Structures are given as structure tokens and as C-alpha cells.
């Protein structure tokens, strides 16, 4: 006899509304949804201030901040450290920058000492790092919905160029009826979404497409003409 257990979901998923919160940051108190405003946002956590991989990640993200700005995307870091620790660590991030194509810190960090935000976003994984936040990334849209979630182990530094690439895809596919193939980058050919019939596609893509398969129809990146 089988017993059916309904597993209760604890995690946030793509499409969920990003939980709102009030928090202390290195730029003062913020209310998260108000801070996002009409922009996209990247909320990302690191395990601990004054640790090596985290220092490289934050300096690299600082160097890429102009790229996030170009994409109308605000950047906010988070760990369970205090504002005072964040402020002291900032000098080290500047020192590390020259070794990792980075830059001095130029975006706010949440001081989540009480783990309120970390718990709200499921950033604490006791099996991976006891009571510290692991390397989580949430991309959130102006509609406050979660568009992307990434989780990396503490031992693996993230590639923030990949996050920018995904952001380009997310923003493009929000505007056009396309999806982006493997390894796609801005300007490469895109795929007409399978939900569009050929007849419907003719209206949106009057110059036609290259049908690699009947369901894999390639068109130039529609944002290139804008
Ligand atoms: C690091 O950033 O190097 C790190 C932090 C926590 C655990 C392991 C590595």
C-alpha cells in the first residue's frame, strides 16, 4: 500500500512575485520594491564578508555595473554581515579588483544580520553552508516578478557576464515573440516562439525565417532593427 505524501514547496520560483522587505543597506534603509521602481534588479547573495571568492565576485560585479546600468538593472548584494563589516570590507574589494578585472565597490549591500531576507528568499542551505547565505542570484523585473534564479556552491565563483547575457535574453524575449538558442548573445539570430503558427509568424516576421526544423525557425535578433 502506497501512501501519497504531498511535498510542501518552500522555494521561490520563476514567475513568483519577489517578496518585498525593508532592510538596512550600505546606502541606508530601503524598501525593496520601491528601490526597484521601474527598473530590473539583480539581488545576489555571497556567503561572508572578508572571504576570498566573495571579494573577487563583488569587485567583478562592480566593474560590470555600467553594463547593468545600460540594461536598466539595479544591483544589490546581500550577506548576513553588518553594515559596519560591509564598510570595512569595501577597502579589500578595491584592493582585489586589479587582480580580477574588477573595480571598487559601487553598489549597495544589504546587512542581513538577522537573516530575514536570506530566509525569505531561501538563500540559506544548511546542507551546503550552515547559517550563511550561499551564492544566490535573483533577477527581478519591473513588474516585481522573478525572471531568473541561480544557485552556486560557496566554492564556485559566478560568471557575471553570463548573468548579463541571460538578462539580454530576458529583456529581449519580454518584448518580442522570440526565444534565444544555446550560447546566444545580443545580436545573434533568435528562434520564433513555437506557440506562433507559421501564419501568425508571417505577420510578425514578414521577411521570413530560416527553418532548420519546422519547429526551429531562425530570425535575426529583432532588437537589431530598433
Ligand atoms: C569564499 O568566498 O572564498 C568562501 C566563502 C565561504 C565559504 C567558502 C568560500
Amino acid at each position: 500500500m502506497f501512501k501519497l505524501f504531498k511535498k510542501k514547496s518552500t522555494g521561490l520560483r520563476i514567475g513568483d512575485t519577489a517578496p518585498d522587505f525593508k532592510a538596512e543597506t550600505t546606502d541606508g534603509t530601503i524598501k525593496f520594491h520601491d528601490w526597484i521602481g521601474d527598473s530590473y534588479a539583480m539581488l545576489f547573495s555571497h556567503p561572508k564578508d572578508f572571504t576570498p571568492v566573495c571579494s573577487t565576485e563583488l569587485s567583478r560585479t562592480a566593474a560590470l555595473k555600467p553594463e547593468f546600468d545600460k540594461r536598466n538593472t539595479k544591483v544589490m548584494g546581500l550577506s548576513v554581515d553588518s553594515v559596519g563589516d560591509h564598510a570595512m570590507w569595501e577597502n579589500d574589494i578595491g584592493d582585489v579588483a586589479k587582480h580580477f578585472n574588477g573595480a571598487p565597490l559601487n553598489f549597495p549591500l544589504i546587512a542581513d544580520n538577522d537573516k530575514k531576507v536570506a530566509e525569505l528568499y531561501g538563500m540559506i542551505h544548511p546542507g551546503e553552508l550552515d547559517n550563511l547565505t550561499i551564492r544566490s542570484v535573483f533577477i527581478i523585473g519591473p513588474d516585481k516578478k522573478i525572471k531568473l534564479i541561480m544557485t552556486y556552491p560557496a566554492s564556485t565563483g559566478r560568471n557575471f557576464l553570463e548573468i548579463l547575457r541571460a538578462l539580454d535574453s530576458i529583456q529581449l524575449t519580454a518584448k518580442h515573440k522570440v526565444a534565444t538558442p544555446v550560447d546566444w548573445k545580443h545580436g545573434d539570430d533568435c528562434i520564433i516562439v513555437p506557440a506562433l503558427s507559421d501564419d501568425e509568424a508571417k505577420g510578425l516576421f514578414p521577411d521570413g525565417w530560416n527553418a532548420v526544423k519546422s519547429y526551429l525557425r531562425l530570425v535575426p535578433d529583432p532588437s537589431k532593427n530598433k
Side-chain angles (χ1 to χ4, degrees), residues 70-117:
K70 269 192 225 162
R71 292 158 176 83
N72 185 32
T73 301
K74 294 182 176 174
V75 174
M76 176 74 83
L78 176 149
S79 72
V80 298
D81 299 283
S82 64
V83 167
D85 278 345
H86 286 333
M88 279 193 287
W89 185 39
E90 192 172 335
N91 293 328
D92 292 3
I93 293 170
D95 293 342
V96 162
K98 57 180 174 293
H99 300 283
F100 290 93
N101 208 4
L105 194 66
N106 54 9
F107 55 87
L109 301 179
I110 293 173
D112 196 31
N113 320 42
D114 58 5
K115 304 186 173 69
K116 202 178 74 185
V117 182

Side-chain angles (χ1 to χ4, degrees), residues 47 51-54 135 154:
T51 56
V53 177
C54 302
R135 301 189 196 283

Side-chain angles (χ1 to χ4, degrees), residues 1 3 19 25 52 60 74 77 86 99 108 120 134 140 147 157 177 184 187 194 199 214-215 219:
M1 187 73 164
K3 268 193 180 167
T25 80
R60 184 69 187 127
K74 294 182 176 174
H86 286 333
H99 300 283
L120 204 53
I134 51 157
I140 297 156
K147 309 295 179 188
K177 297 238 181 263
W184 175 88
D199 277 347
S214 59
Y215 55 81
V219 284

Side-chain angles (χ1 to χ4, degrees), residues 87-186:
M88 279 193 287
W89 185 39
E90 192 172 335
N91 293 328
D92 292 3
I93 293 170
D95 293 342
V96 162
K98 57 180 174 293
H99 300 283
F100 290 93
N101 208 4
L105 194 66
N106 54 9
F107 55 87
L109 301 179
I110 293 173
D112 196 31
N113 320 42
D114 58 5
K115 304 186 173 69
K116 202 178 74 185
V117 182
E119 272 158 14
L120 204 53
Y121 277 77
M123 292 167 167
I124 302 211
H125 294 209
E128 164 69 11
L129 264 189
D130 201 21
N131 267 326
L132 295 177
T133 44
I134 51 157
R135 301 189 196 283
S136 302
V137 181
F138 291 85
I139 299 287
I140 297 156
D143 59 0
K144 314 301 181 290
K145 301 260 193 236
I146 297 172
K147 309 295 179 188
L148 172 148
I149 302 174
M150 270 174 44
T151 308
Y152 271 46
S155 49
T156 304
R158 290 158 285 194
N159 182 330
F160 289 86
L161 289 172
E162 164 59 11
I163 295 170
L164 286 167
R165 190 194 73 85
L167 192 49
D168 282 342
S169 170
I170 288 164
Q171 293 183 341
L172 178 77
T173 60
K175 278 200 196 134
H176 301 277
K177 297 238 181 263
V178 293
T180 60
V182 61
D183 293 341
W184 175 88
K185 56 188 185 322
H186 176 68

